[in-house]
Amino acid sequence: MILRPRQKIFVEKCHEALDKFGAALGVAPTGAGKTVMLSAAATRYNRTLILQHRDELVAQNRKTFAAVNPKSRTDLFTADRKNWGVNATFGMVQTLVKERNLATMPNDLELLIVDEAHHVAAASYLRIIEAFREQNPEGHILGLTATPQRSDRKALIGTFPVVADIIQLAELVQGGFLVRPRGIVMDLGLKSELDRIPKTSDFDMDQVAEVMDKSPLNDRIVKEWQTQAGTRRTVVFTATVAHAEHLCEAFVEAGIKAVVVHGEMGGAERVATLKAFDEGRYQVILNVAVLTEG
């Protein structure tokens, strides 16, 4: 796989920052090809660990990595399979963080890549990073994210002392790689009610649902969607699982093929639902913070 010129520059800057600082963060928006770039960044290292926090990301990243590095021998460290790859290992944070699994970490890892690196402020990530540094003191750490600013304002500088490069959304639009985003606002007359919800690091989604999850509003949303979306497939984000289910019912009642995916579903059911949407069996998929990454 041949990198685009801007992707190549991004990878080169990441390598320069890693050589100088030992750890670095790369920032690029959705559509920039972060998985391609992280895969290319790993090319110069003999053994790499790539961290993810969702099953979908593990499969997606491994497939792209193989396309960029066809000769690399990779494996998985997940709940179902716990093997360290010869060249690269795709590991689930939830599995690796367990003490008995951390104890198996090799001492010849040269690079740790953290996908969706804004999560590194979480205790589970920090524990894995600490183990990596103890086992591989000469190893480098590279993080990639589209959203380095966390809503809880926790800093990432403890792990990443420098930002290697930032690809701006405007660059990708001007280069013809992304379409110019267009925003359409539907006024439901709820601004004053939503403004009264106390906000700390983020909104309380249960309180948001109390305001938003009402049958007349759901019906209005579906009608507005029909006006704006036409035949286009759509991803809908909701406040709670119940909100997603109720809004999905409104779509179905209007004759729209819609389905819900959420974190409380079993892994196999979630994979099957996403596959059905990808294959076009549903026009609308509703979710609660599941389709925000990857």
Side-chain angles (χ1 to χ4, degrees), residues 58 143 150 236 272:
V58 171
R150 290 171 56 98
V236 177

Side-chain angles (χ1 to χ4, degrees), residues 34-90:
K34 286 189 294 298
T35 309
V36 171
M37 292 187 291
L38 74 82
S39 300
T43 303
R44 69 191 296 211
Y45 297 90
N46 292 319
R47 204 169 191 193
T48 301
L49 168 62
I50 300 99
L51 279 185
Q52 301 92 169
H53 69 296
R54 287 188 178 149
D55 290 329
E56 293 88 353
L57 295 179
V58 171
Q60 173 182 302
N61 287 355
R62 190 185 188 193
K63 181 178 179 180
T64 301
F65 191 94
V68 177
N69 304 291
K71 294 183 180 180
S72 289
R73 296 165 63 187
T74 68
D75 217 318
L76 306 177
F77 207 103
T78 64
D80 298 325
R81 182 178 176 86
K82 297 177 178 63
N83 288 339
W84 290 97
V86 173
N87 300 118
T89 302
F90 295 83

